[in-house]
Amino acid sequence: MADSVLIVGAGPVGLTMALELARYRVPVRLVDAMTARANTSRAVALWPRTLELFARAGGGLSDELVGLGNRVTVANILAGDEPIARVELKDVATPYPFVLMLPQSETERVLVRHLEALGVSAELGVELEGFDADGEAVSATLRHADGRGESVRHGWMIACDGAHSVVRHHLGLPFEGDTLGSDWAQGDFHMAGVPFPVNEFATYWHEEGPLVLFPMGPDRYRMIVGLGASDEASSRAAPPPVETFQTLLDRRGPGGIVLRDAIWTSAFRINERQVAHYRAGRVFLAGDAAHVHSPAGGQGMNTGMQDAINLAWKFALVHRGLCTAPVLLDSYDPERRAVGAQVIATSGRLTRLATLKNPLARHIRNAVMHFALGLPPVQHVLEGNLTETSIGYEDSPLNGVSWQAGARAGARVAPREDEAPYGAGDTPLFTLRAGEGAGPPPAGLFEGPVDPAVRPNPAAGGIELVRPDGYLAMAVADGEWERVARYMEALGARPPAAASPSP
Ligand SMILES: Cc1cc2nc3c(=O)[nH]c(=O)nc-3n(C[C@H](O)[C@H](O)[C@H](O)COP(=O)(O)OP(=O)(O)OC[C@H]3O[C@@H](n4cnc5c(N)ncnc54)[C@H](O)[C@@H]3O)c2cc1C
């Protein structure tokens, strides 16, 4: 087992991690303490960038998810009857120009099925109790639901064990940040009388707190409400009765909406925390184990899934001996920690903006947001943030040179619908894109994990090297094939025939 990876936690992030590693032919063991999967909806938004990245897994994964969910293309902000902003997801170049509303339980079910198609099952009722990691491997103690103990030794461990991560505690890694002093409630309801179409969601700003309605289907909605300051005496709020949701809807919403029945309700407090390091030697952290934040913007689960996708291709290259440079695995922490910090900051700002109490501040907020969100450039920035298509790795240690203005190393390269997604298949390959003037690469120049098929570069020429997760690694002028080869050499790239799995 020393060459395999132990993934702790089979929530959406652990499932994504296992799926990505397994399809890249890395042996994994996936365990979870829960004895049965939750069938509650929890996180309901899948953003375009996540769907783009899932498409790389093949098997029609993204299309299957899209077929099950509801596509939302418009975000409205209102204060009572007064419209403040209307943001349409229309300018983003993506095969998935919408936010997909799908219960987390459904997303997990689809991921489980795709993982099983690769021969990997999540082992439920298996809890990680403790572990020791040295320079060679990770020795772990597992406890099965029937009380049986098991000692295992794996080459690596990836902690996808959620916000209360046992692995993070065991490593003594600080989870720095705060718990906000307000209570929130949410629920999925069947509703009648909602005055906007099923492809639009609405946030109502109100002096008592915000109310958000996400359409999950023709008459099913996720409702989130701020309940005001927390009662310090109780450590955890309980969800209010359905009648309270109806009362809040009547007071803060547009009026005339009737809650027919509740499918699921819950209460929560907002934590804004991030672990100081996403890696400790042979142990990595991903998802809620590494970062938690306000659900405003609905990015928690998506950010965690993208952690997993970022790590998997790097890990597979190193594990299979196709790249040997330490910088590859070392880049996971700075790349994803920067994204996590950005998500915490943005979702925190959105939450604070929505919960302003002072009447003058609220008045100014409404006027400023009405003006600013009416400006196309501001809408464009917001769209990029929400859809996660503007996320990039501009300060990554993996970035090579950037040849021309506009195509900076670390930026997302939008996938094209008429091409296979970057990073598809069973080996994570870099992709070359070149204009007609670049000429063909010298024979035998690229022996490492680079796709031999050079794709056309529809931009202004030059040669681009795209990472297996669809971000630009480097860009050089026409003819500079040697510089690209040097970049791959710096990653310790080796031809598949010469590669041997790392211990
Ligand atoms: C009630 C609720 C409502 C939510 N609503 C929203 C929402 O509206 N929007 C949003 O964006 N997000 C929401 N979230 C958060 C969202 O569900 C998480 O961001 C997402 O699930 C994170 O995925 P994860 O895989 O990192 O962690 P989790 O889904 O927490 O999965 C961690 C897994 O690790 C397992 N585990 C833990 N310890 C061990 C151990 N020692 N050994 C083995 N297994 C272990 C757990 O059993 C669990 O299955 C909600 C969460 C909850 C609980």
Side-chain angles (χ1 to χ4, degrees):
M1 282 202 247
D3 72 333
S4 69
V5 182
L6 178 63
I7 302 172
V8 183
V13 176
L15 289 169
T16 305
M17 191 83 243
L19 184 64
E20 285 288 278
L21 287 176
R23 83 175 171 96
Y24 283 147
R25 295 195 278 149
V26 175
V28 298
R29 182 172 182 190
L30 175 61
V31 300
D32 196 300
M34 66 183 157
T35 49
R37 286 207 164 272
N39 57 10
T40 49
S41 65
R42 293 159 291 151
V44 290
L46 281 169
W47 291 97
R49 186 59 182 150
T50 306
L51 292 169
E52 287 179 3
L53 291 165
F54 273 161
R56 299 156 59 256
L61 172 58
S62 293
D63 292 341
E64 187 175 342
L65 291 165
V66 170
L68 291 169
N70 180 43
R71 304 175 195 195
V72 170
T73 55
V74 177
N76 296 294
I77 303 177
L78 305 101
D81 289 338
E82 178 200 348
I84 293 176
R86 179 181 167 84
V87 179
E88 288 185 44
L89 303 182
K90 59 179 169 27
D91 293 330
V92 183
T94 173
Y96 309 97
F98 46 81
V99 49
L100 187 74
M101 308 304 305
L102 186 66
Q104 184 173 326
S105 48
E106 287 285 298
T107 301
E108 290 177 2
R109 201 172 50 78
V110 173
L111 290 172
V112 164
R113 220 178 30 251
H114 281 254
L115 187 57
E116 285 177 351
L118 293 172
V120 178
S121 297
E123 296 175 49
L124 303 188
V126 182
E127 181 175 4
L128 175 82
E129 283 194 332
F131 66 93
D132 278 314
D134 55 34
E136 308 278 301
V138 180
S139 302
T141 312
L142 305 177
R143 180 72 52 195
H144 290 251
D146 60 7
R148 184 168 46 97
E150 183 187 356
S151 297
V152 293
R153 197 166 158 79
H154 288 265
W156 303 81
M157 184 163 77
I158 304 178
C160 305
D161 54 344
H164 303 287
S165 171
V166 167
V167 176
R168 191 185 64 234
H169 285 293
H170 189 89
L171 291 168
L173 291 172
F175 204 34
E176 284 154 4
D178 294 310
T179 303
L180 305 190
S182 53
D183 284 336
W184 296 74
Q186 64 178 343
D188 293 353
F189 300 91
H190 289 117
M191 295 186 186
V194 177
F196 52 83
V198 74
N199 68 324
E200 300 193 11
F201 78 77
T203 299
Y204 293 92
W205 282 344
H206 189 272
E207 61 196 67
E208 293 170 0
L211 182 145
V212 189
L213 291 179
F214 293 104
M216 298 175 67
D219 67 346
R220 178 174 169 169
Y221 292 81
R222 163 66 58 90
M223 175 171 159
I224 303 178
V225 279
L227 299 175
S230 308
D231 173 3
E232 295 301 330
S234 74
S235 61
R236 193 187 176 110
V242 174
E243 297 74 45
T244 306
F245 280 98
Q246 179 69 65
T247 306
L248 295 173
L249 190 52
D250 293 341
R251 285 156 75 106
R252 301 181 192 177
I257 303 179
V258 179
L259 296 187
R260 290 217 306 264
D261 61 85
I263 300 158
W264 169 78
T265 62
S266 78
F268 61 95
R269 287 184 183 157
I270 296 172
N271 278 285
E272 295 183 331
R273 296 178 189 278
Q274 189 176 31
V275 74
H277 307 283
Y278 280 36
R279 178 186 182 185
R282 288 184 166 260
V283 180
F284 295 86
L285 293 99
D288 278 16
H291 47 79
V292 290
H293 34 80
S294 163
Q299 319 240 277
M301 182 181 72
N302 290 261
T303 304
M305 289 166 158
Q306 292 182 36
D307 291 343
I309 287 163
N310 180 288
L311 179 57
W313 68 267
K314 298 170 180 176
F315 192 88
L317 286 178
V318 172
H319 186 270
R320 288 173 56 181
L322 293 165
C323 284
T324 55
V327 68
L328 211 51
L329 288 182
D330 287 347
S331 69
Y332 170 67
D333 170 73
E335 286 190 352
R336 293 310 299 173
R337 201 153 37 79
V339 171
Q342 193 186 327
V343 172
I344 290 170
T346 307
S347 60
R349 269 198 296 275
L350 282 175
T351 305
R352 286 169 183 85
L353 207 58
T355 50
L356 284 178
K357 288 272 179 277
N358 179 292
L360 179 61
R362 284 204 326 272
H363 180 72
I364 294 171
R365 172 199 64 190
N366 293 359
V368 169
M369 295 306 282
H370 180 67
F371 173 73
L373 290 175
L375 301 173
V378 178
Q379 286 220 357
H380 192 66
V381 169
L382 190 64
E383 269 180 75
N385 275 331
L386 277 177
T387 58
E388 302 185 347
T389 52
S390 62
I391 288 177
Y393 303 120
E394 59 185 18
D395 297 320
S396 170
L398 289 185
N399 288 349
V401 292
S402 304
W403 170 57
Q404 53 184 349
R408 310 298 300 168
R412 159 183 168 269
V413 181
R416 291 169 49 122
E417 289 184 66
D418 57 351
E419 291 179 349
Y422 302 112
D426 67 1
T427 300
L429 298 178
F430 284 75
T431 303
L432 290 161
R433 290 162 35 112
E436 282 181 7
L445 187 64
F446 298 109
E447 294 183 315
V450 179
D451 190 338
V454 180
R455 298 188 189 185
N457 179 0
I463 303 166
E464 293 180 346
L465 183 69
V466 184
R467 303 170 10 161
D469 55 356
Y471 294 89
L472 189 64
M474 69 177 314
V476 291
D478 284 345
E480 296 190 326
W481 293 105
E482 286 286 343
R483 294 183 76 183
V484 186
R486 297 293 84 75
Y487 175 93
M488 292 305 300
E489 270 174 34
L491 294 186
R494 291 196 288 171
S500 56
S502 76

Coordinates of all heavy atoms in Angstrom, one line a residue, residues 8-14 31-34 42-44 104 126-128 160-163 166 186 222 224 264 266 286-289 295 298-301, ligand 1:
V8 N -8.9 10.8 3.3 CA -9.8 10.7 4.5 C -11.0 11.7 4.2 O -10.8 12.9 4.1 CB -9.0 11.1 5.7 CG1 -9.9 11.0 7.0 CG2 -7.8 10.3 5.9
G9 N -12.2 11.1 4.2 CA -13.4 12.0 3.9 C -13.9 11.8 2.5 O -13.1 12.0 1.6
A10 N -15.1 11.3 2.4 CA -15.7 11.1 1.1 C -16.9 12.0 0.9 O -17.9 11.6 0.3 CB -16.1 9.6 1.0
G11 N -16.7 13.3 1.3 CA -17.7 14.3 1.0 C -17.4 14.7 -0.5 O -16.6 14.0 -1.2
P12 N -17.9 15.8 -0.9 CA -17.7 16.2 -2.3 C -16.3 16.4 -2.7 O -15.9 16.1 -3.8 CB -18.5 17.5 -2.5 CG -18.8 18.0 -1.1 CD -18.8 16.8 -0.2
V13 N -15.5 16.9 -1.7 CA -14.1 17.1 -2.1 C -13.3 15.8 -2.1 O -12.5 15.6 -3.0 CB -13.5 18.1 -1.1 CG1 -12.0 18.3 -1.3 CG2 -14.2 19.5 -1.1
G14 N -13.5 14.9 -1.1 CA -12.8 13.6 -1.2 C -13.2 12.8 -2.4 O -12.3 12.1 -3.0
V31 N -11.8 6.6 2.5 CA -12.5 6.1 3.7 C -13.3 7.3 4.3 O -12.9 8.5 4.2 CB -11.6 5.6 4.8 CG1 -10.8 4.4 4.3 CG2 -10.6 6.6 5.4
D32 N -14.4 7.0 4.9 CA -15.2 8.0 5.6 C -15.9 7.4 6.8 O -16.4 6.3 6.8 CB -16.3 8.5 4.6 CG -16.9 9.9 5.2 OD1 -17.4 9.9 6.3 OD2 -16.7 10.9 4.5
A33 N -15.9 8.2 7.9 CA -16.5 7.7 9.2 C -18.0 7.5 9.1 O -18.5 6.7 9.8 CB -16.1 8.7 10.3
M34 N -18.7 8.3 8.2 CA -20.1 8.2 8.2 C -20.5 6.8 7.7 O -19.8 6.2 6.9 CB -20.7 9.2 7.3 CG -20.4 9.0 5.8 SD -21.1 10.4 4.8 CE -20.0 10.3 3.4
R42 N -27.8 20.7 1.4 CA -26.6 21.5 1.7 C -26.2 22.4 0.6 O -27.0 23.2 0.1 CB -25.5 20.5 2.2 CG -25.8 19.9 3.6 CD -25.0 18.6 3.8 NE -25.4 17.6 2.9 CZ -24.6 16.6 2.5 NH1 -23.4 16.5 2.8 NH2 -25.1 15.7 1.7
A43 N -24.9 22.3 0.1 CA -24.5 23.2 -1.0 C -25.2 23.0 -2.3 O -25.2 21.8 -2.7 CB -23.0 23.1 -1.2
V44 N -25.8 24.0 -2.8 CA -26.6 23.8 -4.0 C -26.1 24.4 -5.3 O -26.7 24.2 -6.3 CB -28.1 24.3 -3.8 CG1 -28.8 23.5 -2.8 CG2 -28.1 25.8 -3.4
Q104 N -26.5 19.0 -3.0 CA -25.2 18.4 -2.8 C -25.3 16.9 -2.8 O -24.5 16.2 -3.3 CB -24.6 18.9 -1.5 CG -23.2 18.3 -1.2 CD -22.6 19.0 0.0 OE1 -22.8 20.2 0.3 NE2 -21.8 18.2 0.8
V126 N -15.6 3.9 8.2 CA -14.2 3.7 8.5 C -13.6 5.1 8.9 O -13.5 6.0 8.1 CB -13.4 3.1 7.3 CG1 -11.9 2.9 7.6 CG2 -14.0 1.9 6.8
E127 N -13.2 5.1 10.2 CA -12.8 6.4 10.7 C -11.3 6.5 10.9 O -10.7 5.5 11.5 CB -13.5 6.6 12.1 CG -13.2 8.0 12.7 CD -14.0 8.2 14.0 OE1 -14.7 7.3 14.4 OE2 -13.8 9.3 14.6
L128 N -10.7 7.6 10.6 CA -9.3 7.8 10.9 C -9.2 8.2 12.3 O -9.8 9.2 12.8 CB -8.7 8.9 10.0 CG -7.2 9.2 10.3 CD1 -6.3 8.3 9.7 CD2 -6.9 10.7 9.9
C160 N -9.5 15.3 3.5 CA -10.8 15.9 2.9 C -11.8 15.7 4.0 O -13.0 15.3 3.7 CB -11.2 15.3 1.6 SG -9.9 15.3 0.4
D161 N -11.4 15.9 5.3 CA -12.3 15.5 6.4 C -13.1 16.6 7.0 O -13.5 16.5 8.2 CB -11.5 14.7 7.4 CG -10.3 15.4 7.9 OD1 -9.8 16.4 7.3 OD2 -9.7 15.0 9.0
G162 N -13.3 17.7 6.2 CA -14.3 18.7 6.6 C -13.8 19.7 7.6 O -12.6 19.7 8.1
A163 N -14.7 20.6 8.0 CA -14.3 21.7 8.8 C -13.7 21.4 10.2 O -12.9 22.1 10.7 CB -15.6 22.6 9.0
V166 N -9.9 16.1 11.7 CA -9.1 15.4 12.7 C -7.6 15.5 12.3 O -6.7 15.7 13.1 CB -9.5 13.9 12.7 CG1 -8.5 13.1 13.4 CG2 -10.8 13.8 13.4
Q186 N -31.5 28.3 6.9 CA -31.8 28.0 5.5 C -32.7 26.8 5.4 O -32.8 26.0 6.3 CB -30.5 27.8 4.7 CG -29.7 26.6 5.2 CD -28.5 26.4 4.3 OE1 -28.4 27.0 3.2 NE2 -27.5 25.7 4.8
R222 N -34.4 27.1 -2.5 CA -33.5 27.3 -1.3 C -33.7 28.7 -0.8 O -33.5 29.7 -1.5 CB -32.1 27.0 -1.7 CG -31.0 27.5 -0.6 CD -31.1 26.8 0.7 NE -30.9 25.4 0.5 CZ -29.6 24.8 0.6 NH1 -28.6 25.5 0.8 NH2 -29.5 23.5 0.5
I224 N -32.4 31.4 2.2 CA -31.4 31.6 3.3 C -31.8 33.0 3.9 O -32.1 33.9 3.2 CB -30.0 31.7 2.7 CG1 -29.7 30.4 1.9 CG2 -29.0 32.0 3.8 CD1 -28.3 30.4 1.3
W264 N -36.4 20.5 4.0 CA -35.2 20.4 4.8 C -34.9 21.8 5.3 O -35.0 22.8 4.6 CB -34.0 19.9 4.0 CG -32.7 20.0 4.6 CD1 -32.1 19.1 5.5 CD2 -31.6 20.9 4.3 NE1 -30.9 19.5 5.8 CE2 -30.5 20.6 5.1 CE3 -31.5 22.0 3.4 CZ2 -29.3 21.3 5.0 CZ3 -30.3 22.7 3.4 CH2 -29.2 22.4 4.2
S266 N -32.1 24.1 8.2 CA -31.0 24.0 9.1 C -30.6 25.4 9.5 O -31.1 26.4 8.9 CB -29.8 23.3 8.4 OG -29.1 24.2 7.5
A286 N -7.5 19.6 1.9 CA -8.3 20.2 0.8 C -9.7 20.4 1.3 O -10.2 19.7 2.2 CB -8.3 19.3 -0.4
G287 N -10.4 21.3 0.7 CA -11.8 21.6 1.0 C -12.0 22.2 2.4 O -11.2 23.0 2.8
D288 N -13.1 21.9 3.0 CA -13.5 22.5 4.3 C -12.4 22.3 5.4 O -12.3 23.0 6.4 CB -14.8 22.0 4.8 CG -16.0 22.8 4.2 OD1 -15.8 23.4 3.1 OD2 -17.1 22.7 4.7
A289 N -11.6 21.2 5.2 CA -10.5 21.0 6.2 C -9.5 22.1 6.1 O -8.8 22.4 7.1 CB -9.8 19.7 5.8
P295 N -21.5 31.4 3.3 CA -22.0 30.8 2.1 C -22.5 31.8 1.1 O -22.9 31.4 0.0 CB -23.2 30.0 2.6 CG -23.6 30.6 3.9 CD -22.3 31.2 4.5
G298 N -21.9 31.2 -2.5 CA -22.1 29.7 -2.7 C -20.8 29.1 -3.2 O -20.9 28.2 -4.1
Q299 N -19.6 29.5 -2.7 CA -18.4 29.0 -3.3 C -17.6 27.9 -2.5 O -16.6 27.4 -3.0 CB -17.5 30.2 -3.6 CG -18.3 31.4 -4.1 CD -17.9 31.9 -5.4 OE1 -17.0 32.6 -5.5 NE2 -18.6 31.5 -6.5
G300 N -18.1 27.6 -1.3 CA -17.4 26.7 -0.4 C -17.1 25.4 -1.1 O -15.9 25.0 -1.2
M301 N -18.1 24.7 -1.5 CA -17.9 23.3 -2.0 C -17.1 23.4 -3.3 O -16.2 22.6 -3.6 CB -19.2 22.7 -2.3 CG -19.2 21.3 -2.8 SD -20.8 20.6 -3.1 CE -21.3 21.5 -4.5
Ligands
LIG1 C1 -26.1 21.7 7.0 C2 -25.2 22.3 6.0 C3 -25.6 23.2 5.0 C4 -24.7 23.7 4.1 N1 -25.1 24.6 3.2 C5 -24.2 25.1 2.3 C6 -24.7 26.0 1.3 O1 -25.8 26.4 1.2 N2 -23.7 26.5 0.4 C7 -22.4 26.1 0.5 O2 -21.6 26.5 -0.4 N3 -22.0 25.2 1.4 C8 -22.9 24.7 2.3 N4 -22.5 23.8 3.2 C9 -21.0 23.5 3.2 C10 -20.7 22.4 2.2 O3 -21.5 21.3 2.5 C11 -19.2 22.1 2.4 O4 -18.5 23.3 1.9 C12 -18.8 20.9 1.6 O5 -19.5 19.8 2.0 C13 -17.3 20.7 1.8 O6 -17.0 19.5 1.4 P1 -15.8 18.6 2.1 O7 -15.8 17.4 1.3 O8 -14.6 19.5 2.2 O9 -16.2 18.4 3.5 P2 -17.5 17.6 4.1 O10 -18.6 17.6 3.1 O11 -17.7 18.1 5.5 O12 -17.0 16.1 4.1 C14 -16.0 15.6 5.1 C15 -16.2 14.2 5.3 O13 -15.1 13.7 6.1 C16 -15.7 12.7 7.0 N5 -14.8 12.6 8.1 C17 -14.6 13.6 9.1 N6 -13.7 13.1 10.0 C18 -13.3 11.9 9.6 C19 -12.4 10.9 10.1 N7 -11.7 11.1 11.2 N8 -12.3 9.7 9.5 C20 -13.0 9.5 8.3 N9 -13.8 10.4 7.8 C21 -14.0 11.6 8.4 C22 -17.1 13.2 7.3 O14 -17.9 12.1 7.7 C23 -17.5 13.8 6.0 O15 -18.3 12.9 5.2 C24 -23.3 23.3 4.1 C25 -22.9 22.3 5.1 C26 -23.8 21.8 6.0 C27 -23.4 20.8 7.0

